[in-house]
Amino acid sequence: MELELDGAGVRLAATLDLPVGPVRGGMVVLHGAGAGHRSYFCYEHLARVLPGAGIAVLRFDRRPRVDGHDVPLTDQAADAVAAIDVLRRHAGDVPVGLWGLSQGAWTAPLTAALRPDLVAFLVLVSSSGVSPAAQMRYGTAEQLRLHGYGDADRAELGRLRATVEAYQRGDLDRATAQAAVDRAAERPWFPLVYLPRELPDQPGTWRDMDFDPAPVFARVACPVLLFYGTTDAWVPIDASVTAWRRATAAAPTPPAVCRLDGCDHYPTLDEGEDLDSISPQYTAAMLSWLDALLPAG
């Protein structure tokens, strides 16, 4: 079913997949930073497997960036709330959860913390327990390590990212930061570090760079299922699991953690990027957890 949702003044195209029989629950899909279209294969996979278990799935297109600014997490959370409302209009008053991938795994718990009355559960893939800036420092250093670069190169990368972050915070002038980027651009590893060759004219385009997820995790009252690929080179897995467990220590049910063998940042085998590469372990664990959580159909 092709629909639209009103994301705070922006109309966003959406697709709703409903079960053939009784609806046991619903799932709203939240995006990774680089996968904003509702047809992305990880989202399509949910639409293929969950309706058969009685779970409606709503996918929608991520709102566009404005003037080069990343979409603030609070705006993404508002879009998630709008998506829940649309899903409920068609699926009825059933438990609705959020599925979030990477950046979406920050948005989902934020939405659950802001609207605990609406969010019944969370399924998160590669949920980072550190800030976006810290996560990118970790991930890009890992890219250099995996490509054979040594301590000196990774230390130089650390200084570069600290310089660019200082500019983004407004603590450093653009000329100084751009000069650091210009020097680093001559290094063979520069294409691995996910920094623009030319910095934006004004700082502040990365508003959520210092977003601390731990206090948000502490406000999540619903059941949580966490997936991590065992070789994820973008998220500090142990630190993230620890952040979740510390933040939810007083919760009646701790987050369930599933480490996916043969998977990296996405729930796919051998870093595949299509439906056929989706991990069977991931699919089975998600369906089992949801089946135990949701009312019988």
Side-chain angles (χ1 to χ4, degrees):
M1 185 184 299
E2 298 303 314
L3 303 166
E4 281 190 332
L5 60 93
D6 184 358
V10 179
R11 303 296 293 179
L12 302 173
T15 301
L16 175 63
D17 292 272
L18 288 167
V20 174
V23 181
R24 301 172 61 197
M27 185 84 85
V28 169
V29 179
L30 302 182
H31 320 84
H37 196 273
R38 65 191 187 281
S39 65
Y40 188 63
F41 77 96
C42 283
Y43 316 154
E44 184 181 345
H45 169 259
L46 298 171
R48 290 193 179 198
V49 302
L50 294 186
I55 302 167
V57 176
L58 182 73
R59 301 168 280 157
F60 63 96
D61 290 346
R62 189 175 189 254
R63 70 166 54 226
R65 297 184 179 208
V66 178
D67 297 329
H69 290 249
D70 197 13
V71 181
L73 294 177
T74 51
D75 287 352
Q76 295 185 53
D79 293 343
V81 169
I84 292 172
D85 289 341
V86 170
L87 189 154
R88 280 218 165 109
R89 277 183 231 144
H90 295 273
D93 187 17
V94 296
V96 176
L98 301 174
W99 179 97
L101 168 67
S102 195
Q103 187 180 91
W106 280 310
T107 305
L110 176 61
T111 309
L114 294 171
R115 294 300 306 269
D117 56 317
L118 292 181
V119 181
F121 57 89
L122 299 176
V123 177
L124 307 179
V125 179
S126 302
S127 170
S128 173
V130 300
S131 72
Q135 182 255 315
M136 286 302 294
R137 288 196 296 271
Y138 172 86
T140 52
E142 279 294 285
Q143 300 312 302
L144 264 61
R145 184 186 67 79
L146 291 171
H147 284 80
Y149 293 98
D151 293 344
D153 290 307
R154 295 199 298 275
E156 184 177 355
L157 167 62
R159 292 190 294 271
L160 171 65
R161 291 206 70 94
T163 297
V164 173
E165 288 171 18
Y167 171 65
Q168 282 282 12
R169 295 186 185 99
D171 297 333
L172 186 68
D173 64 279
R174 184 184 183 281
T176 300
Q178 184 61 54
V181 173
D182 293 342
R183 291 191 297 272
E186 299 176 359
R187 302 290 190 260
W189 45 257
F190 186 76
L192 300 171
V193 304
Y194 290 80
L195 286 172
R197 182 62 182 81
E198 294 292 328
L199 295 176
D201 292 336
Q202 299 294 328
T205 57
W206 193 12
R207 299 179 192 175
D208 292 309
M209 60 184 291
D210 294 316
F211 169 76
D212 182 2
V216 171
F217 296 167
R219 293 165 57 196
V220 172
C222 62
V224 179
L225 174 60
L226 302 171
F227 285 106
Y228 295 98
T230 55
T231 61
D232 192 338
W234 284 103
V235 170
I237 298 173
D238 291 340
S240 298
V241 171
T242 297
W244 266 107
R245 286 179 170 158
R246 284 177 177 168
T248 58
T253 304
V257 180
C258 180
R259 300 190 184 228
L260 299 172
D261 297 327
C263 297
D264 195 77
H265 193 57
Y266 298 100
T268 59
L269 299 175
D270 301 320
E271 300 186 46
E273 297 183 6
D274 56 36
L275 285 165
D276 290 339
S277 64
I278 295 283
S279 163
Q281 179 193 3
Y282 159 73
T283 303
M286 177 168 53
L287 287 172
S288 176
W289 188 81
L290 290 170
D291 186 59
L293 179 72
L294 295 173

